[in-house]
């Protein structure tokens, strides 16, 4: 019996040893693993058309050309090329990595071309900050899978910027986030702190694959996966050992990072031509310690506002709150000295338009109406109304700027696109998408778009508008019947008001002519425009335009470069109202 048991035990032991020998090693596991349930990073959803709006892509480079053939390689070629890359971080090959590589080379070829172009500018920030921290340079391709190298990228979870920092992580690293500034969008600042954060993660795990995984899902999830994988004792674990215990998105994160390194190095082997730099962009920074708006800088230094935005995406509202604390403003190198020499002119340019109010008084609070006496006090009441009326008008004129933003609705016509519509209204395509919350850049005929345009107004128009508001507050009129006593007391001074009225008539007539002139705008007809389209653009009617230009109702044909007088919206109504008052 003992012999039988010994034989069985020896057989079982040999089977266990044999099975242990046939188990795959860690190296084999990382090369043979398959998984159909991974979730691709959000950067794979980036629309190429959105990236093409980037000022750098439009003005400084010619993106790589797609030759129309994916030129996929064999698994052996993928593996050999990855092994040849001079990297510190292991870049093993398996079927998941293959799927990501071919996704880039097939459906996302246009995205790869744009990222290669963007890397010409942003890549130097990545490399410089990684080198300062003594980090592997292959980490410069993490923004490829994080944001598609777009500093304005925002994830569904609220991560922002090239390196996709969440608010809590960013603030913990010392980044500023408020209504005007979000340093997660700052290319250099975010790259510097991303390098430091990755270094901290590597110091914790002493393994780059785990550090990269923790960058994606957080150290807490990686620690939990290590515990579940039984990472005890001195046996070293890496990403592939805890693969099955990680969140679905993180399981695809390291393979996507390996694929990004392959594609950004071997794109030319797959029919994507290198990016051509039309003109080099070299930048420098200048310290700003005053409140200044991008429009002021652009106007004085003759720089496109879109370029300032591209170089400084961390300023959310086109303004630098330098009176709060000093900030670095990035400009083309040759413009930094120009800013220093012209700072006074920049700060003075339209300063009233961009100034922030520090005090505010309720309307009409500067004058207190006198008390009404016991005899009814009609004269005192009239004086009080007149004083308050003047105060309202003066306050209104003082508070109004020479420009105002008007919201218009544009109905998309067949053949129109966002860029054409943006040129028509003098705004940017990016603004139109932001106003209308469009994730894509496509519109179709019949779509209604909200457009915000700036209109110039004259002080006369401001004064008329303020007077109308005052008339609503005090609807009394000079032609009301007076008491016999008031009539008798006022009859002695009738001649004086008449004389003053005669003197005031020429001035009033002149103001009326100026107001009428201000109520018309000249429009030069462009190709494809119609009276209906022009009337909707200016918020008026076809009949009003025809009347202003002496046209018959049947005259609807226009010629290119024809000049039309455009009456202001509601101009006819104001005229009829003024006639009624004169009666």
């Amino acid at each position: 019996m003992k012999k039988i048991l010994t034989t069985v035990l020896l057989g079982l032991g040999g089977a266990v040893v044999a099975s242990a020998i046939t188990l795959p090693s860690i190296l084999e596991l990382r090369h043979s693993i398959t998984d159909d349930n991974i979730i691709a990073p959000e950067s794979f959803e980036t629309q190429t058309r959105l990236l093409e709006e980037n000022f750098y892509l439009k003005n400084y480079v010619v993106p790589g050309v797609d030759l129309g053939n994916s030129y996929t390689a064999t698994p052996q070629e993928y593996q050999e090329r990855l092994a040849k890359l001079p990297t510190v971080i292991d870049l093993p090959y398996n079927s998941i990595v293959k799927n990501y590589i071919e996704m880039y080379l097939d459906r996302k070829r246009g995205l790869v071309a744009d990222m290669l172009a963007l890397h010409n500018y942003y890549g130097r920030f990545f490399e410089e900050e990684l080198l300062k921290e003594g980090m592997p340079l292959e980490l410069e391709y993490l923004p490829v899978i994080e944001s598609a190298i777009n500093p304005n990228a925002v994830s569904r979870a609220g991560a922002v910027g090239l390196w996709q920092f969440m608010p809590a992580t960013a603030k913990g690293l010392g980044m500023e986030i408020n209504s005007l500034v979000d340093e997660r969008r700052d290319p250099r600042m975010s790259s510097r702190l991303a390098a430091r954060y990755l270094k901290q993660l590597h110091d914790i795990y002493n393994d780059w694959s785990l550090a990269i995984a923790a960058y994606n899902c957080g150290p807490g999830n990686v620690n939990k996966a290590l515990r579940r994988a039984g990472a005890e004792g001195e046996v070293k674990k890496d990403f592939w050992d805890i693969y099955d215990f990680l969140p679905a998105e993180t399981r695809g994160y390291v393979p996507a990072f390996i694929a990004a390194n392959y594609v950004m190095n071997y794109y030319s082997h797959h029919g994507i031509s290198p990016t051509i730099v039309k003109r080099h962009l070299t930048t420098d920074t200048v310290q700003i310690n005053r409140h200044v708006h991008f429009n002021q800088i652009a106007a004085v230094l003759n720089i496109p506002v879109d370029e300032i935005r591209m170089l400084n995406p961390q300023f959310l509202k086109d303004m630098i709150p330098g009176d709060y604390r000093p900030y670095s403003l990035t400009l083309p190198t040759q413009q930094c000295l120009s800013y220093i020499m012209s700072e006074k002119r920049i700060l003075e340019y339209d300063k009233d338009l961009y100034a922030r109010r520090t005090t505010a008084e309720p309307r009409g609070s500067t004058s207190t109406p006198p008390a009404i006496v016991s005899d009814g006090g009609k004269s005192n009441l009239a004086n009080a109304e007149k004083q308050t009326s003047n105060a309202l008008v003066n306050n209104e004129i003082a508070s109004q700027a020479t420009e105002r933003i008007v919201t218009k609705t544009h109905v998309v016509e067949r053949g129109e696109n966002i860029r054409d519509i943006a040129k028509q209204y003098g705004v940017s395509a990016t603004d139109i998408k932001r106003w209308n919350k469009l994730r894509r850049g496509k519109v179709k005929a019949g779509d209604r778009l909200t457009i915000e345009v700036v209109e110039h107004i004259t002080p006369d128009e401001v004064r008329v508008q303020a007077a109308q508001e005052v008339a609503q507050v005090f609807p009394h009129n000079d032609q009301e019947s007076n008491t016999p006593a008031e009539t008798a007391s006022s009859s002695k001074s009738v001649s004086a008001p008449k004389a003053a009225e005669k003197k005031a008539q020429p001035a009033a007539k002149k103001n009326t002519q100026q107001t009428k002139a201000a109520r018309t705008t000249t429009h030069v007809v462009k190709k494809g425009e119609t009276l209906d389209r022009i009337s909707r653009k200016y918020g008026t009617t076809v009949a009003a335009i025809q009347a202003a230009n002496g046209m018959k109702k049947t005259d609807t044909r226009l010629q290119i470069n024809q000049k039309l007088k455009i009456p202001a919206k509601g101009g006819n109504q104001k005229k009829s109202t003024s006639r009624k008052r004169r009666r």
Side-chain angles (χ1 to χ4, degrees), residues 218-503:
N221 282 318
V222 171
N223 293 340
K224 183 168 64 176
L226 284 168
R227 288 194 300 271
R228 294 177 65 188
E232 297 177 357
E234 298 180 357
V235 179
K236 185 175 179 295
K237 299 283 185 180
D238 71 357
F239 171 82
W240 306 100
D241 292 309
I242 64 171
Y243 179 88
D244 292 328
F245 304 102
L246 289 168
E249 185 174 336
T250 306
R251 292 204 300 270
Y253 190 76
V254 172
F257 168 72
I258 296 170
N261 270 270
Y262 178 92
V263 172
M264 297 297 282
N265 282 281
Y266 291 113
Y267 57 89
S268 59
H269 289 62
H270 298 275
I272 300 175
S273 68
T275 301
I276 301 171
V277 179
K278 291 190 292 188
R279 55 193 180 108
H280 287 280
L281 173 60
T282 57
T283 61
D284 204 345
T285 58
V286 59
Q287 285 293 104
I288 307 296
N289 56 11
R290 301 285 297 276
H291 185 276
V292 62
H293 197 282
F294 283 1
N295 288 340
Q296 294 174 290
I297 301 170
V300 175
L301 300 186
N302 195 25
I303 306 175
V305 173
D306 284 341
E307 183 165 19
I308 303 176
R309 289 184 187 131
M310 185 273 292
L311 295 174
N312 302 274
Q314 66 271 29
F315 299 114
L316 304 179
K317 301 297 182 183
D318 288 357
M319 63 178 69
I320 306 170
D323 49 355
Y324 172 63
R325 73 168 179 86
Y327 290 92
S328 293
L329 172 70
T330 301
L331 293 172
T333 303
Q334 65 273 19
Q335 297 290 355
C336 284
L337 181 60
S338 300
Y339 182 94
I340 295 170
M341 300 294 292
S342 309
E343 185 173 38
K344 187 175 180 181
R345 281 180 54 209
I346 292 169
L347 296 173
E348 290 294 323
Y349 184 85
D350 278 350
K351 68 176 183 179
D352 293 335
L353 182 61
Y354 300 110
R356 299 198 300 180
R357 287 194 302 173
T358 56
T359 60
E361 294 291 338
R363 178 178 290 181
S365 65
T366 55
S367 59
T368 305
I372 299 175
V373 296
S374 58
D375 62 353
K378 289 190 176 181
S379 58
N380 286 342
L381 179 60
N383 288 335
E385 290 175 352
K386 188 173 182 180
Q387 290 175 10
T388 307
S389 171
N390 290 336
L392 287 173
V393 173
N394 291 334
N395 288 342
E396 187 68 21
I397 293 171
S399 64
Q400 291 283 350
T402 56
E403 293 181 342
R404 63 185 168 200
I405 296 176
V406 178
T407 302
K408 296 188 177 183
T409 301
H410 178 89
V411 181
V412 179
E413 298 182 359
R414 180 177 293 182
E416 283 189 324
N417 57 48
I418 283 189
R419 289 188 180 180
D420 294 337
I421 297 169
K423 288 179 182 178
Q424 179 180 334
Y425 288 94
V427 297
S428 70
T430 303
D431 285 338
I432 293 180
K433 284 185 280 190
R434 176 164 51 83
W435 293 328
N436 295 275
K437 298 180 180 179
L438 300 175
R439 291 191 65 184
R440 296 185 173 186
K442 279 189 174 182
V443 291
K444 62 180 182 298
D447 286 351
R448 301 176 72 84
L449 299 177
T450 298
I451 311 289
E452 295 181 6
V453 297
V454 178
E455 286 189 356
H456 294 274
I457 56 176
T458 65
D460 286 334
E461 288 180 292
V462 176
R463 191 173 286 104
V464 169
Q465 183 179 354
Q468 289 175 349
E469 292 183 8
V470 170
Q472 293 176 359
V473 178
F474 300 110
H476 301 290
N477 142 357
D478 292 339
Q479 313 227 341
E480 290 180 351
S481 58
N482 295 328
T483 61
E486 288 169 340
T487 305
S489 62
S490 61
S491 63
K492 297 178 182 178
S493 57
V494 168
S495 58
K498 284 186 176 180
E501 186 179 349
K502 288 180 180 179
K503 289 181 181 180

Side-chain angles (χ1 to χ4, degrees), residues 73-75 78 93-103 255 259:
T74 65
Y78 289 139
Y93 173 81
N94 55 42
S95 63
I96 302 175
V97 174
K98 174 179 177 291
N99 290 339
Y100 275 121
I101 291 174
E102 294 185 347
M103 195 183 301

